[in-house]
Amino acid sequence: PPMIRAASLAVWHVDVARAAPSLAEAERRCPRLSHDEEARAASMADPREAEAWRTARIALRVLLESVVGADVRRRPFAAGPAGKPLLATGRGTLDFSLSHSGRHALIAIGEPGPVGVDVERLRAVSIGGERREVLIAAAEAMVVSADAREPTGADASFLQAWVRLEAFAKA
């Protein structure tokens, strides 16, 4: 009979500012980023944004390596049909998702996929009332359980809806 493997999903929160020194040292000792990732970080105009992006990618690479093994080091990601990064492994395609905003990053790894995550810092959002309500309603329709604490404030409600939709689109 064919082997049946249970689905696995893991999600990590990374405090990018706090993890930056140790992840930079880990990358210095044992490079994991691809040449494309290094070039993208080097091309960013804002050095703080470049460091946050690079730190989040190093964290992703460390976690992918912990699942798949060292052969993923420096391997470029392939692009899926919608442009989502993919990592082909000896076991097939490992699905992952990364999002970062400010000092926070979320990383999800799932077998089989699809997976998607999104994180946004709470901020004022300039979007029209009707469009805002449509997006919130679409995101609320995706919620299976209403057990989650509801955010207070129009911007918090909108951003919660936004991250739900964005994570779904990434998956």
Side-chain angles (χ1 to χ4, degrees):
M3 177 190 231
I4 299 173
R5 183 162 59 197
S8 69
L9 172 67
V11 179
W12 293 268
H13 168 259
V14 180
D15 183 328
V16 173
R18 196 167 165 201
S22 59
L23 287 171
E25 177 61 20
E27 181 68 10
R28 187 192 64 72
R29 285 193 325 263
C30 180
R32 291 173 175 87
L33 295 179
S34 70
H35 295 292
D36 292 345
E37 288 168 309
E38 289 287 5
R40 181 169 174 188
S43 72
M44 293 181 171
D46 181 348
R48 287 181 299 169
E49 181 60 29
E51 181 181 359
W53 186 90
R54 190 172 187 277
T55 300
R57 287 300 254 232
I58 294 167
L60 171 64
R61 290 291 188 153
V62 167
L63 292 169
L64 288 171
E65 183 178 332
S66 74
V67 173
V68 178
D71 65 328
V72 301
R73 289 182 187 154
R74 303 189 68 99
R75 185 187 303 171
F77 295 130
K84 181 179 179 181
L86 300 173
L87 180 63
T89 70
R91 305 184 316 220
T93 301
L94 181 69
D95 201 39
F96 60 91
S97 183
L98 165 67
S99 178
H100 69 92
S101 179
R103 67 181 294 150
H104 301 281
L106 282 180
I107 299 169
I109 299 176
E111 286 185 287
V115 298
V117 293
D118 191 47
V119 63
E120 295 287 337
R121 63 181 173 75
L122 184 57
R123 65 186 188 284
V125 179
S126 298
I127 187 168
E130 186 176 324
R131 186 164 182 224
R132 179 184 294 253
E133 293 304 317
V134 167
L135 288 169
I136 290 172
E140 286 174 351
M142 299 170 64
V143 177
V144 176
S145 167
D147 293 341
R149 183 177 50 140
E150 291 300 317
T152 56
D155 290 331
S157 294
F158 174 77
L159 287 167
Q160 181 182 60
W162 181 263
V163 297
R164 283 181 184 154
L165 295 170
E166 184 73 14
F168 180 77
K170 287 180 174 184

